[in-house]
């Protein structure tokens, strides 16, 4: 009976209220667990809210582990000015204590902020700049030599020219992935191989290349294939001056494992794109048509001695541009 009475609920310690239990659970979490949660929560949320909850969380928010990756894009409904976002980004960089390896910035990056990043870390491996029109050729060139470990560079929608590409190529020997995208359009008709030649001449170790909307021609593409023999993936969507037919089409099929054609679907592309035309995927699921792999001589012979007009309607349409 005594044993029974000793286990009576009335003898147990009083239970915490739900609010007290929730507070105690959060505050009792190990520091490394809180740090891992902050990483998942993301840069903006930690800077704006989490670090203000209590002194413990504010202290944890200064852990350099949290700031090895800084992601400040897709800011949604934030109404902060560029100056405030710049200050927040610099604070995150300071907290990284030289351990920053990966940073993404949308819209508010400047030459000054890039210099601050480059001066704060020599470990940067991934730099992503989205619609950062205030970043100049001179600004990117100035920090290139300070990024010796850079492996991935993503510059999507900018005013930059071939000049920083050449400088990055010469200064960053570990660069394996390059995205240099602009908004694709078919008119006015412009041909320019400067970007392609800069890439081909300075980035022989490149494995992944995206040139969405670029104005390169077949000559530029051929230079890239010659100058970047390690390419595994190549995205040429909305590169309307490129025609993957004949020998060039066959070489692309043989050399590149993951090839996106100029007229392939842009459904998975995160930025604006012209989409008023059919996709190669619809007609040629393998990505290369029978016409593409004909030799140049065979193509001419086939077109003028037996190929029906309907079989070449897509080809004629592409060459109108």
């Amino acid at each position: 009976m005594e044993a029974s009475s000793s286990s009576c609920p009335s003898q147990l310690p009083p239970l915490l209220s739900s609010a007290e239990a929730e507070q105690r659970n959060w505050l009792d979490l190990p520091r490394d667990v809180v740090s891992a949660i902050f990483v998942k929560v993301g840069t903006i949320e930690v800077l704006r809210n989490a670090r203000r909850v209590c002194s413990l969380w504010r202290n944890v928010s200064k852990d350099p582990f949290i700031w090895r990756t800084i992601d400040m894009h897709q800011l949604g409904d934030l109404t902060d000015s560029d100056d405030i976002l710049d200050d927040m980004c610099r604070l995150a960089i300071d907290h990284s204590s030289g351990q920053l390896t990966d940073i993404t910035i949308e819209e508010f990056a400047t030459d000054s902020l890039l210099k601050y990043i480059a001066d704060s870390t020599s470990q940067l491996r991934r730099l992503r700049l989205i619609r950062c029109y205030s970043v100049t050729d001179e600004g990117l060139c100035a920090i290139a030599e300070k990024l010796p470990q850079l492996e991935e560079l993503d510059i999507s929608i900018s005013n930059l020219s071939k000049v920083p590409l050449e400088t990055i190529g010469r200064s960053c020997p570990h660069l394996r992935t390059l995205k240099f995208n602009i908004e694709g359009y078919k008119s006015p008709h412009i041909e320019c191989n400067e970007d392609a030649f800069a890439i081909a001449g300075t980035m022989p170790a490149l494995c992944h290349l995206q040139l969405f909307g670029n104005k390169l021609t077949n000559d530029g593409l051929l230079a890239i294939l010659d100058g970047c023999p390690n390419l595994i993936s190549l995205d040429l969507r909305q590169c309307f001056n490129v025609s993957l037919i004949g020998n060039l089409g066959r070489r692309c099929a043989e050399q590149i494992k993951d090839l996106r054609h100029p007229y392939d679907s842009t459904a998975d592309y995160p930025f604006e794109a012209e989409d008023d035309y059919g996709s190669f995927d619809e007609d040629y699921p393998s990505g290369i048509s029978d016409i593409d792999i004909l030799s140049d001589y065979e193509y001419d012979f086939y077109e003028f001695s037996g190929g029906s007009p309907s079989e070449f309607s897509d080809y004629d349409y592409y060459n109108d541009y």
Side-chain angles (χ1 to χ4, degrees), residues 223-293:
I224 289 174
L225 294 176
D226 289 339
C228 307
N230 298 311
L231 272 183
I232 298 173
S233 65
L234 177 61
D235 190 343
L236 296 172
R237 282 178 294 175
Q238 299 206 348
C239 295
F240 298 119
N241 297 328
V242 172
S243 297
L244 297 179
I245 61 171
N247 291 331
L248 183 59
R250 183 171 59 251
R251 179 172 175 185
C252 285
E254 294 173 349
Q255 185 171 338
I256 309 298
K257 293 182 179 179
D258 181 10
L259 178 66
R260 307 296 293 272
H261 288 248
Y263 288 84
D264 277 354
S265 170
T266 60
D268 63 343
Y269 185 68
F271 310 112
E272 293 182 4
E274 290 193 13
D275 232 349
D276 57 351
Y277 47 80
S279 165
F280 269 125
D281 291 337
E282 298 173 1
D283 297 324
Y284 310 111
S286 64
I288 297 284
S289 73
D290 291 338
I291 296 173
D292 291 331
I293 60 177

Side-chain angles (χ1 to χ4, degrees), residues 101-103 124-128 149-155 168 172 174-179 206 208:
T101 62
D102 184 332
I103 187 166
L124 198 67
R125 288 174 170 77
R126 184 172 185 260
L127 173 62
R128 191 178 184 211
Q149 303 301 319
L150 194 67
E151 298 175 2
E152 179 177 344
L153 176 63
D154 181 348
I155 300 176
I168 289 287
C172 306
H174 298 291
L175 192 68
R176 297 293 182 269
T177 299
L178 173 66
K179 296 181 180 181
L206 210 59
H208 308 281

